[in-house]
Amino acid sequence: MKITKNQLSFLLFFSLCFYFVQCSSSKGMERERSMKYSYDEAEESVSSAASPSPKPENTPSEPKAQKRMMIYSVNVNLQSKEIESKVTEIIKLAESYGGYALQYSSNGVVQLKIPAEKLKQFLFTLRNQSQNYSEEVSAKDVTEDYTDTEIRMENSLKMRVRLLEILKTAKTLEETLKVEAELNKVSESIERWEGRLKYLTNAIQLSSVQVQVRQKWEPVVQKEYKPGPLGYPFYYLYLGIGKVKDGLVWLFVQEIPKEKTEIPD
């Protein structure tokens, strides 16, 4: 079958039209798909902004309150029959709890250092082993003082590092002397803060206890004596002589009543 020129040109025209229609339809679908995707993404972004984001499970906890730093001092009064033996007993008791005696005297005054964590146990044991026991406990809060001293020491250490760096770059003798003078001042400050921290740490860890041991006086009991089997004759003889003595005194000496004298008005 032969195809004429007219038929061939018609087929070419028809195929070109079909091709353009297909391209336009595919572009429209892609445009609609892209618009749909963009709309969905915008809707998701709006919904995510409206709804609060979930909190992470492992959120950092709030900082814990700082532990208070306390210095405890205790005054104890007690009584004992023997002062020296009681003083020795108290020192041994303090050593059993990790403490020690700073000073003691023959008049019964003992100054002790007891670890703060064992202070209650020491006082409880001493109370149970003593008579007429009384105690007075006082406490001092040094938390702010300790924290302030730590901050000052850290700042002084940082300042010393900076001054050392400046000293390396000093070019003239005058600059070197000035930096070294400041270094001496900072070093003195560091030593002072270190000493203060050491003192506070020891005072917090070791509580001061002063014990006053007093002599316990007991009333003297009057004892009664009875004669033995061979002592009764002498006992009754002693009583008889006492009666005879009283009779002789009555015969020779008598009490004369005094006359009352009236006091003139």
Side-chain angles (χ1 to χ4, degrees):
M1 181 177 179
K2 295 182 179 180
I3 300 175
T4 61
K5 291 182 178 180
N6 293 330
Q7 291 177 347
L8 181 61
S9 60
F10 178 78
L11 290 175
L12 290 173
F13 178 79
F14 182 79
S15 61
L16 289 173
C17 291
F18 182 79
Y19 175 78
F20 284 119
V21 170
Q22 290 291 334
C23 290
S24 61
S25 62
S26 62
K27 289 181 179 179
M29 291 179 65
E30 289 178 359
R31 188 181 298 108
E32 290 179 358
R33 190 180 296 111
S34 63
M35 291 177 65
K36 183 177 181 181
Y37 287 156
S38 62
Y39 176 78
D40 292 339
E41 291 175 358
E43 188 177 4
E44 288 178 1
S45 63
V46 171
S47 62
S48 63
S51 62
S53 58
K55 295 183 179 180
E57 296 181 356
N58 298 327
T59 56
S61 58
E62 296 181 356
K64 296 182 179 179
Q66 185 178 6
K67 184 179 179 181
R68 309 307 296 178
M69 299 181 182
M70 310 295 292
I71 297 177
Y72 291 96
S73 300
V74 185
N75 290 325
V76 176
N77 291 295
L78 55 90
Q79 290 185 346
S80 178
K81 294 181 181 179
E82 298 181 0
I83 294 179
E84 294 183 1
S85 60
K86 187 63 178 178
V87 169
T88 304
E89 179 183 346
I90 292 172
I91 294 174
K92 290 182 179 179
L93 180 63
E95 292 175 351
S96 66
Y97 282 95
Y100 56 90
L102 284 177
Q103 184 180 359
Y104 61 93
S105 60
S106 58
N107 60 356
V109 179
V110 189
Q111 294 182 359
L112 305 170
K113 285 290 186 180
I114 306 297
E117 65 273 9
K118 296 183 180 180
L119 179 61
K120 291 184 178 180
Q121 299 176 3
F122 170 77
L123 295 176
F124 178 78
T125 306
L126 183 61
R127 186 184 304 113
N128 293 335
Q129 296 179 357
S130 305
Q131 298 176 350
N132 298 330
Y133 178 93
S134 65
E135 67 181 31
E136 181 181 355
V137 182
S138 60
K140 182 180 179 181
D141 190 352
V142 295
T143 307
E144 294 182 2
D145 189 7
Y146 192 93
T147 305
D148 182 66
T149 305
E150 277 188 331
I151 294 173
R152 290 176 182 272
M153 182 174 174
E154 290 178 0
N155 292 335
S156 298
L157 290 173
K158 293 178 181 178
M159 180 60 69
R160 184 171 65 179
V161 173
R162 293 175 184 174
L163 290 174
L164 289 174
E165 293 177 354
I166 295 174
L167 183 62
K168 293 179 181 179
T169 59
K171 297 180 180 179
T172 62
L173 179 61
E174 184 179 359
E175 293 178 354
T176 303
L177 294 176
K178 288 182 179 180
V179 175
E180 288 180 350
E182 293 296 327
L183 274 173
N184 292 332
K185 294 180 181 179
V186 173
S187 299
E188 291 177 0
S189 299
I190 293 173
E191 292 178 359
R192 183 167 61 253
W193 303 136
E194 285 180 347
R196 181 64 178 171
L197 285 176
K198 186 177 181 180
Y199 166 76
L200 291 175
T201 302
N202 292 335
I204 293 168
Q205 294 177 352
L206 294 174
S207 301
S208 299
V209 180
Q210 178 172 315
V211 183
Q212 174 68 61
V213 183
R214 303 183 185 278
Q215 184 73 41
K216 183 180 181 182
W217 298 101
E218 295 183 353
V220 179
V221 179
Q222 297 292 339
K223 297 181 180 180
E224 296 182 356
Y225 296 95
K226 293 183 179 181
L230 299 178
Y232 273 102
F234 299 97
Y235 175 70
Y236 288 118
L237 178 62
Y238 171 76
L239 293 179
I241 293 173
K243 296 294 183 181
V244 172
K245 182 189 67 173
D246 293 340
L248 293 174
V249 171
W250 182 80
L251 288 175
F252 292 96
V253 180
Q254 293 184 357
E255 184 179 1
I256 301 174
K258 294 182 180 179
E259 295 181 359
K260 295 181 180 180
T261 57
E262 295 182 358
I263 301 174
D265 295 336

